[in-house]
C-alpha cells in the first residue's frame, strides 16, 4: 500500500516509528509536512499539491496533527478524504477531540463517566458555577490547552473565584471541573486502535504536582485495566469516532472517569512503558480497513 503520514517533523519518535512499521510491513510510505500542502478545491477533481507535485494514488493517510495547527491540518485531512484516501482518523473526529467541551458533551450524551464539569462564558454568578461542580478544590482548564498547560488546581473557593475571573477577563474559554483527589496525581492512558485497547499505562505526577502529563515530568508504568476501564476507553473512542485514540481516565471512587480523548496520541511513552509495537498495530489496522472512499462522514462535514 501507499501510505502518507501527515507530520511536521520526520524526526519525532512517533513519526519515525510509523515510518519504520510501514516499511517493515512492505508498504511505501512518505512523510508529508502538513503545513506545506496546498490544495485545489474543485467539484470535479479535488487535488492536493506538495512541493510542486500532485499527491496521487495514496491508499491511506495517518494524520499526526499538532494542537497548534488543528484548523489547517484538518482541512488537509478532509482533502485527502475527498480524494477517497482512507484516513486513520477522520477530520471531523479530530476536530471534535480538539475541543474539550465538545468532547465532554458528546461523551456525556452517551453516558460515559466523567468528572462533574461546568462551562460558562461570562456568568453573573461565579459562586454558583463553583457550587455546580461541588465547590473547591476544583480544576480550571483552558478549552484548547494541551500537555498540561492551562490546567490549574484551585484549592479554595477564593482561589477558584480569582482564577475563573482572571481567565474570563482575558476572554479565554474555560471549563471548571470537580477535582478527583483520590486519583492521587495519576491517570491512565488507554491506547485504542480499531475498537480495542492495545496498550495502557499509568502516569504518575511528580511529588507536589497533580498533573500527570509526561511533558510535566510524570512517570509511566505498566497498568492492568479493569474490564470496566477497558470498556469505558473503547466506548469513549467510539463515541468520538476515532479509530486511533489515547483515552485518559481517572480512577475515582465512582469508577473510571474519562478526562479527555486524544486524536494524535504519542507513541514514545506508551511503547516504552509497555514494550508493545503500537506503531505496527496502527499499520495493521490500516491493512484491514483501508478501502477507497470509506470515510464515514463523506459529504457531511
Ligand atoms: P491536557 O490536555 O493539557 O493534558 P488534561 O485535562 O489532560 O489537560 O489535564 C492534565 C492533567 O491534569 C491530567 O493528566 C491529570 O493528571 C490532571 N487532571 C486533569 N483534570 C483533573 C481532575 N478533574 N481531577 C484530578 N486531576 C486532573
Ligand atoms: Mg491530557
Amino acid at each position: 500500500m501507499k501510505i502518507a503520514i501527515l507530520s511536521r517533523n520526520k524526526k519525532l519518535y512517533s513519526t519515525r516509528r510509523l515510518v519504520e512499521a510501514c516499511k517493515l510491513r512492505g508498504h511505501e510510505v512518505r512523510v508529508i509536512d502538513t503545513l506545506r500542502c496546498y490544495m485545489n478545491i474543485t467539484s470535479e477533481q479535488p487535488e492536493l499539491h506538495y512541493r510542486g507535485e500532485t499527491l496521487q494514488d495514496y491508499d491511506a493517510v495517518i494524520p499526526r496533527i499538532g494542537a497548534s495547527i488543528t484548523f489547517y491540518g484538518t482541512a488537509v485531512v478532509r482533502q485527502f478524504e475527498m480524494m477517497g484516501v482512507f484516513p486513520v482518523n477522520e477530520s471531523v473526529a479530530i476536530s471534535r477531540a480538539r475541543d474539550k467541551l465538545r468532547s465532554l458533551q458528546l461523551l456525556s450524551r452517551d453516558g460515559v463517566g466523567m468528572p462533574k464539569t461546568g462551562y460558562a462564558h461570562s456568568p453573573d454568578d461565579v459562586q454558583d458555577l463553583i457550587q455546580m461542580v461541588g465547590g473547591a478544590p476544583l480544576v480550571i482548564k483552558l478549552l484548547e490547552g494541551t500537555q498540561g498547560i492551562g490546567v490549574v488546581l484551585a484549592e479554595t473557593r477564593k482561589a477558584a473565584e480569582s482564577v475563573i475571573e482572571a481567565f474570563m477577563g482575558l476572554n479565554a474559554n474555560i471549563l471548571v471541573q470537580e477535582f478527583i483527589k483520590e486519583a492521587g496525581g495519576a491517570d491512565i492512558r488507554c491506547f485504542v486502535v480499531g475498537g480495542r485497547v492495545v496498550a495502557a499505562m499509568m502516569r504518575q505526577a511528580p511529588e507536589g504536582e497533580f498533573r500527570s502529563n509526561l511533558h510535566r515530568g510524570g512517570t509511566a508504568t505498566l497498568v492492568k485495566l479493569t474490564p470496566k476501564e477497558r470498556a469505558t476507553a473503547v466506548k469513549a473512542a467510539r463515541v468520538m469516532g476515532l479509530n486511533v485514540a489515547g483515552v485518559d481516565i481517572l480512577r475515582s471512587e465512582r469508577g473510571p472517569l474519562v478526562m479527555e480523548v486524544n486524536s494524535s496520541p504519542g507513541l514514545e511513552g506508551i511503547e516504552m512503558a509497555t514494550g508493545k509495537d503500537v506503531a505496527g498495530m496502527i499499520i495493521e489496522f490500516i491493512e484491514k480497513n483501508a478501502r477507497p472512499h470509506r470515510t464515514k462522514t463523506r459529504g457531511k462535514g
Side-chain angles (χ1 to χ4, degrees):
M1 283 204 284
K2 191 167 161 184
I3 300 173
I5 301 175
L6 281 178
S7 166
R8 295 234 56 211
N9 187 349
K10 275 184 189 198
K11 298 195 181 110
L12 292 176
Y13 177 93
S14 302
T15 313
R16 280 193 284 116
R17 283 285 299 125
L18 287 165
V19 168
E20 201 174 281
C22 281
K23 288 185 177 159
L24 261 175
R25 303 178 74 95
H27 303 298
E28 185 184 333
V29 58
R30 180 164 183 198
V31 178
I32 292 168
D33 182 345
T34 320
L35 292 187
R36 295 284 157 89
C37 289
Y38 43 106
M39 27 196 148
N40 181 354
I41 305 169
T42 62
S43 54
E44 291 300 311
Q45 204 169 23
E47 281 183 349
L48 253 176
H49 287 231
Y50 185 63
R51 297 185 198 274
E53 60 176 289
T54 312
L55 296 178
Q56 265 169 342
D57 306 325
Y58 280 91
D59 297 295
V61 57
I62 307 178
R64 304 280 319 168
I65 310 288
S68 59
I69 64 156
T70 302
F71 185 73
Y72 196 74
T74 48
V76 174
V77 178
R78 208 176 305 124
Q79 190 76 358
F80 269 109
E81 289 165 11
M82 289 190 290
M83 291 155 47
V85 179
F86 177 79
V88 161
N89 279 331
E90 300 175 16
S91 53
V92 208
I94 299 170
S95 305
R96 268 182 212 129
R98 278 299 148 75
D99 178 338
K100 286 182 199 230
L101 177 66
R102 186 174 175 188
S103 307
L104 291 178
Q105 285 178 319
L106 290 170
L107 295 172
S108 81
R109 188 178 67 191
D110 280 83
V112 176
M114 66 183 65
K116 253 186 248 159
T117 306
Y119 173 71
H121 184 269
S122 39
D124 295 324
D125 197 341
V126 171
Q127 300 232 21
D128 186 43
L129 174 67
I130 293 174
Q131 230 31 68
M132 203 169 80
V133 297
L138 57 80
V139 177
I140 301 154
K141 299 184 191 183
L142 287 175
L143 272 201
E144 299 200 0
T146 182
Q147 303 183 346
I149 300 162
V151 179
V152 182
L153 173 62
E155 313 237 15
T156 65
R157 187 177 54 79
K158 226 44 242 142
E161 253 178 62
S162 320
V163 177
I164 292 170
E165 281 166 4
F167 275 142
M168 284 179 175
L170 294 169
N171 266 324
N173 277 314
I174 55 163
L175 57 80
V176 292
Q177 197 165 65
E178 158 195 21
F179 176 53
I180 308 300
K181 190 165 187 283
E182 63 269 27
D187 74 349
I188 296 169
R189 158 62 57 95
C190 303
F191 206 107
V192 179
V193 178
R196 260 182 350 111
V197 178
V198 298
M201 63 176 166
M202 178 176 266
R203 297 178 300 194
Q204 178 70 53
E207 192 64 35
E209 171 62 78
F210 78 103
R211 295 167 300 179
S212 59
N213 301 65
L214 300 183
H215 288 96
R216 305 260 71 75
T219 45
T221 49
L222 257 179
V223 64
K224 181 139 179 52
L225 297 182
T226 66
K228 180 91 191 282
E229 286 165 348
R230 202 169 274 280
T232 300
V234 167
K235 183 168 181 187
R238 196 189 65 227
V239 169
M240 300 293 296
L242 292 167
N243 295 315
V244 170
V247 182
D248 294 344
I249 285 179
L250 291 168
R251 277 186 170 162
S252 83
E253 279 158 0
R254 55 178 201 277
L257 304 178
V258 173
M259 219 172 11
E260 66 170 343
V261 184
N262 292 280
S263 55
S264 291
L267 295 180
E268 186 164 17
I270 196 84
E271 289 199 335
M272 293 302 163
T274 62
K276 289 192 178 163
D277 175 16
V278 178
M281 294 192 252
I282 294 174
I283 308 306
E284 195 185 335
F285 169 79
I286 294 177
E287 290 165 359
K288 291 200 179 123
N289 292 278
R291 309 269 183 288
H293 300 284
R294 267 195 80 179
T295 314
K296 278 193 301 235
T297 46
R298 235 175 103 232
K300 274 185 275 167

